[in-house]
Amino acid sequence: MPEPKTPPRRNRDCRDCDGFPVVAIDTGHLHPDGTRATLRVVCRACQGTGTVPLRPEGARA
């Protein structure tokens, strides 16, 4: 029995963030309740999606 074909991938992992688009950075400060103050930073290359198109818009085949 033939295996079903998987659709071709349209995206690949972002090479800037390796698919980890959002990180939390510890500032070293504590909130009054004792929890750590963190900054949430999003990858600028993929805008937080973790993937980029295989072929850029307008690129020729």
Side-chain angles (χ1 to χ4, degrees):
M1 177 186 264
E3 292 185 31
K5 288 189 175 185
T6 58
R9 290 183 61 188
R10 294 189 176 166
N11 294 325
R12 63 179 165 86
D13 286 346
C14 173
R15 66 178 171 179
D16 290 347
C17 67
D18 269 342
F20 295 94
V22 181
V23 295
I25 299 175
D26 182 6
T27 63
H29 296 284
L30 296 175
H31 292 291
D33 64 357
T35 59
R36 295 195 179 271
T38 58
L39 298 173
R40 188 171 177 239
V41 182
V42 177
C43 175
R44 287 191 263 173
C46 65
Q47 286 82 36
T49 63
T51 60
V52 292
L54 285 175
R55 199 175 287 149
E57 289 288 322
R60 292 184 180 186

